[in-house]
Amino acid sequence: MSVADDINGLAALHAAAAHQALNAIIALGPRPADPAAGQAWDRNKADLQAGMNSQSATATELASQAVLAALADQAAAIGQLTGVTARAEAEIKHIQEVSKLLARLAQVLDVGRAVLGVAAAPSAASLKALADAIKALSAAVP
Amino acid sequence: MRSRVALALPLILALGGCTDLAAVSMLSTKLVTASASWDAVGGELKASCERQQQFNPALTSCDTEAAASAGLVALNTVLTQYFTALGDAANTKSFTVQPGIDALAKSAGAIPGINAAEVSATSGLASLLIRLGTEAAREKTLRALIDEGAPLSKQLLTALDRTVPQSLQTALGAERDQMTAAFAIYIQQGGDRMGTDPAAMCAKGPRAADFHAGANFMLALEYCQRVGALQAKLDSVGAYRKSLASAQAALDELASSKTQLGAQALITKLGQIGKDLDTNIKAVAKAFGGGAKP
């Protein structure tokens, strides 16, 4: 039995007590028209309702306390799973980085080829090709 | 050298073929959807407290319930990220450098004086070798995710199953009882009675002839509508538990078949688990909202 189980057990007891109070409220039946009997009915109703409200509030609070206790118990496992996931995503990102680097290398080759083109035949067209290749390379650099 | 490469080529080709992990990928998608629907269930502790405050002045604060709901959503996020990583690792596209190699071969092939055929052959061989490397990296990543992550995920799912349904039933049950008491008192103060079994009255549907005052009949109608929605949530706690069980079963299958993730038997089992998950997630989403559409 964990702490969460114990708390949930206690919450169930309070909920059961609230349910008994509900049954007693229903058993009161219609409020009597007679003034004296009506006042007695009001007092009974108020007592039962106050008790029920308190029991229900405690049960509700404890039900959430049980969840918080269970989460605290699992803090280490949550941290470990976060680490496992982060390492896997880093591995996947690493592969994607390699692909990007290869593409970057291709752009370096494009610049080199454009430089050769300008050296072999300087012209407006070859200079524009060089400028475009450099632009593409610099655009890829973050 | 060339003959060694020629001899090794068929082996490289055989090993370099990517394993079909479509079933793992499909399951990952379903688990991500499932964890989204679990968020709605977790959020119900806070929501139920806030609804109960309408009828219960003793419930002065919902801070604890809000903290519990936030904690459950945070845990679901950790699980969702794990399930997503599982899908990413199973997805071939995550482990390919082919676009980079293609760009490199295209640029190299365009250099004046380069033998285009040599570039093509070299890039093709490089592609195969790199694919071997990336496939090994993918397998290593997937195995680490399954070996280390599956037992942890299962532990967390077990903890959820052990605590959340009971907490939820207590909270929703208290809300239902408080609401029933409030309506019962209004009706009794008006000179009528709700009957000893309000659920039975709602199952048949309230009848005007059973009430002296029309206002009490209207109250009974409103009560039955509200309690019906609440009862649907209580009834769906079972579907929530089943979806947790399906996720646990899926993790068990993955862990026991980690060396044969493309095997037909596993694909069939994961397919069945995926269908079970679908059914239960829809039931959970219908009652609690969020996640998959009902």
Side-chain angles (χ1 to χ4, degrees), chain B residues 145-156:
Chain B
L145 269 173
I146 294 172
D147 285 348
E148 299 169 34
L152 288 167
S153 300
K154 227 188 126 185
Q155 181 184 326
L156 294 175

Side-chain angles (χ1 to χ4, degrees), chain A residues 79-89, chain B residues 82 85 144-146 148-150 152:
Chain A
Q80 286 166 15
L81 184 62
T82 304
V84 169
T85 304
R87 283 196 293 279
E89 291 293 7
Chain B
Y82 171 71
L145 269 173
I146 294 172
E148 299 169 34
L152 288 167

Side-chain angles (χ1 to χ4, degrees), chain A residues 19-79:
Chain A
H19 193 74
Q20 280 186 347
L22 169 66
N23 288 337
I25 287 171
I26 290 173
L28 285 176
R31 185 179 186 277
D34 173 66
Q39 280 181 357
W41 187 96
D42 287 343
R43 279 195 301 276
N44 279 337
K45 187 266 306 177
D47 288 346
L48 288 168
Q49 195 173 19
M52 184 183 177
N53 287 348
S54 170
Q55 297 285 4
S56 288
T58 308
T60 304
E61 163 90 11
L62 286 173
S64 284
Q65 290 283 7
V67 168
L68 289 172
L71 289 172
D73 274 353
Q74 299 302 322
I78 292 169

Side-chain angles (χ1 to χ4, degrees), chain B residues 67 158 214 221 249 267 270:
Chain B
T158 304
L221 284 176
I267 292 170
L270 291 185

Side-chain angles (χ1 to χ4, degrees), chain B residues 170-224:
Chain B
T170 300
L172 291 171
E175 181 192 347
R176 182 193 54 201
D177 283 355
Q178 283 298 130
M179 188 171 69
T180 303
F183 276 89
I185 287 167
Y186 290 142
I187 290 171
Q188 287 166 336
Q189 281 172 336
D192 277 309
R193 62 171 71 238
M194 234 168 145
T196 51
D197 188 356
M201 175 194 72
C202 291
K204 284 192 301 183
R207 294 172 190 279
D210 294 337
F211 296 88
H212 296 105
N216 289 337
F217 172 59
M218 301 305 283
L219 277 170
L221 284 176
E222 174 65 17
Y223 166 75
C224 288

Side-chain angles (χ1 to χ4, degrees), chain A residues 4-19 52 55-67, chain B residues 44-45 48-49 52 56 59 65 162-178 230 233-234 237:
Chain A
D5 291 337
D6 288 341
I7 298 174
N8 251 337
L10 198 57
L13 286 176
H14 283 279
H19 193 74
M52 184 183 177
Q55 297 285 4
S56 288
T58 308
T60 304
E61 163 90 11
L62 286 173
S64 284
Q65 290 283 7
V67 168
Chain B
E44 199 56 31
L45 287 171
S48 173
C49 177
Q52 193 192 141
N56 189 352
L59 198 55
E65 291 76 6
R162 188 166 171 167
T163 308
V164 177
Q166 198 182 341
S167 290
L168 210 53
Q169 277 167 338
T170 300
L172 291 171
E175 181 192 347
R176 182 193 54 201
D177 283 355
Q178 283 298 130
L230 201 51
K233 288 178 195 257
L234 274 161
V237 173

Side-chain angles (χ1 to χ4, degrees), chain B residues 134-145:
Chain B
T134 52
E135 188 71 2
R138 179 190 186 198
E139 191 180 325
K140 182 175 153 247
T141 305
L142 205 47
R143 280 198 180 176
L145 269 173

